[in-house]
Amino acid sequence: MEKYQVAPENTVVVGDNHTDIFFAANAGAKSIFCTYGFGKKADSVSTFDAGDFAGVIDILQKNF
C-alpha cells in the first residue's frame, strides 16, 4: 500500500488462510476469504467469503 500509495480502505486482501485475514485486519484493509482454498479461517473475521474464484470476481464487481 505504501509503495503504490493506496489507502487501506481502498485495499482488498484475498486469501485462504487466517493469516491472510488477520493481515488485512491489521492493515486496515478489507478481506475476502476463499473457502475453497487449503487454509483455515480459524477465528479470523473476513469482510466477505467466496466459495470459488467466480465468487471473488462477483464480490469485487459488486462492492469495489
Side-chain angles (χ1 to χ4, degrees):
M1 292 184 296
E2 206 173 277
K3 179 178 179 177
Y4 294 104
Q5 300 177 352
V6 178
E9 60 270 13
N10 294 325
T11 303
V12 181
V13 176
V14 179
D16 71 343
N17 200 311
H18 62 276
T19 56
D20 304 319
I21 306 307
F22 284 132
F23 168 79
N26 288 335
K30 294 174 179 62
S31 60
I32 301 174
F33 180 75
C34 300
T35 60
Y36 57 94
F38 292 108
K40 302 292 181 197
K41 193 171 184 182
D43 59 348
S44 65
V45 178
S46 56
T47 312
F48 303 96
D49 289 353
D52 55 24
F53 188 71
V56 173
I57 300 302
D58 188 52
I59 290 167
L60 292 172
Q61 288 177 333
K62 289 181 178 176
N63 297 282
F64 302 99

